[in-house]
Amino acid sequence: KASHDLKSPVSSIQGIMNLLNKSEDIKEMKIYFKLLDECTKKLDTIISDLLVLGRVVYGDLKYKKIDIKNILNGIFKSIEFIDKLKDIQINIIVDDEAQFIKTEKELLHTVLLNIIDNAIKYRRQIGNLSYINIHVSVHDKGILFTIEDNGIGIEDSLQPNIFNMFYRATYSSKGSGLGLYIVKMSVLKLGGKVSFESILDNGTTFKLYLPSH
């Protein structure tokens, strides 16, 4: 699966280069350069996500006490310059008793970033204001993240596959198709559970439970 997804943008780059070598029209060449840029970005995304997946599957776990508010604030700080973010209302509630957890910081960051990134990418384009609501509460012997958005949602027939490797639930996706697979693998490695509910054109809610080690 990985070799197939890596080969696709490489083949596109080779085809565009052939067209570019034959062209002498500046406007046409600019179009080809833009297409090359898109293909190389896609290739870079796939390679980066494969590296993350390698760390998830084979990396050692290093548990330490994590401040949930700090990690969420750090994620939104790192993506604050994304154009789409300014059109989304972000609401974060972290219950006092759920502010700290002992877990693997890098995996937790990866999981939250992927879910939040999807909520931003597939936000509502027209109509009501887009929002992302995040609530962190105590659950069992750990904490529960509830991440809700009012984005485009996921079609019922596609929902059973969204955690599969290289699966893209929408044709508009420009990602690697590894994001939610990485989420699932990370959560399982941490001994947690992840589930979701989604209604097409009405939004998606992810629930992520992680035990405190």
Side-chain angles (χ1 to χ4, degrees):
K1 286 183 177 179
S3 62
H4 177 272
D5 268 50
L6 287 167
K7 187 172 177 60
S8 178
V10 171
S11 297
S12 296
I13 289 170
Q14 289 172 332
I16 295 166
M17 286 300 298
N18 287 333
L19 293 172
L20 191 57
N21 288 330
K22 295 174 184 177
S23 178
E24 296 181 357
D25 183 280
I26 297 298
K27 289 184 179 179
E28 195 176 67
M29 291 170 74
K30 285 182 178 180
I31 294 172
Y32 293 148
F33 280 126
K34 185 178 179 181
L35 291 172
L36 280 175
D37 184 56
E38 290 176 0
C39 288
T40 52
K41 284 178 179 177
K42 182 178 180 181
L43 190 60
D44 181 65
T45 298
I46 294 171
I47 292 170
S48 296
D49 282 349
L50 283 170
L51 289 170
V52 171
L53 183 59
R55 288 197 295 271
V56 169
V57 175
Y58 299 109
D60 294 327
L61 294 176
K62 298 176 182 178
Y63 295 119
K64 61 181 179 180
K65 189 176 181 181
I66 306 297
D67 186 323
I68 300 300
K69 289 182 179 178
N70 283 349
I71 204 166
L72 285 170
N73 289 335
I75 286 171
F76 282 103
K77 185 71 175 176
S78 70
I79 60 176
E80 65 180 341
F81 296 110
I82 295 177
D83 290 337
K84 298 176 181 179
L85 193 60
K86 68 179 186 299
D87 301 322
I88 302 174
Q89 181 178 316
I90 309 295
N91 305 302
I92 301 175
I93 298 174
V94 180
D95 294 349
D96 290 341
E97 61 272 27
Q99 185 174 346
F100 298 96
I101 185 174
K102 190 173 183 181
T103 190
E104 220 285 338
K105 184 178 181 180
E106 295 303 321
L107 287 190
L108 177 58
H109 183 277
T110 296
V111 168
L112 294 175
L113 179 60
N114 272 291
I115 294 175
I116 291 168
D117 185 55
N118 276 354
I120 295 169
K121 282 180 182 175
Y122 307 118
R123 78 197 191 285
R124 186 181 297 276
Q125 300 287 344
I126 57 175
N128 298 332
L129 176 70
S130 296
Y131 65 75
I132 300 174
N133 295 331
I134 300 175
H135 182 210
V136 187
S137 57
V138 168
H139 180 76
D140 199 5
K141 295 181 180 179
I143 57 175
L144 179 69
F145 294 85
T146 302
I147 305 173
E148 174 195 13
D149 68 66
N150 65 336
I152 64 175
I154 305 168
E155 189 176 327
D156 287 351
S157 63
L158 305 179
Q159 291 185 19
N161 301 312
I162 71 164
F163 290 114
N164 291 349
M165 192 176 190
F166 290 116
Y167 187 77
R168 298 176 182 89
T170 171
Y171 291 113
S172 64
S173 174
K174 294 184 179 180
S176 66
L178 285 168
L180 290 178
Y181 180 74
I182 289 172
V183 166
K184 181 185 75 172
M185 297 300 290
S186 300
V187 171
L188 289 176
K189 187 159 186 174
L190 293 171
K193 298 177 182 178
V194 59
S195 62
F196 74 97
E197 294 179 356
S198 186
I199 300 174
L200 189 63
D201 299 324
N202 204 35
T204 303
T205 299
F206 277 91
K207 290 193 175 182
L208 167 69
Y209 166 73
L210 291 178
S212 187
H213 293 270

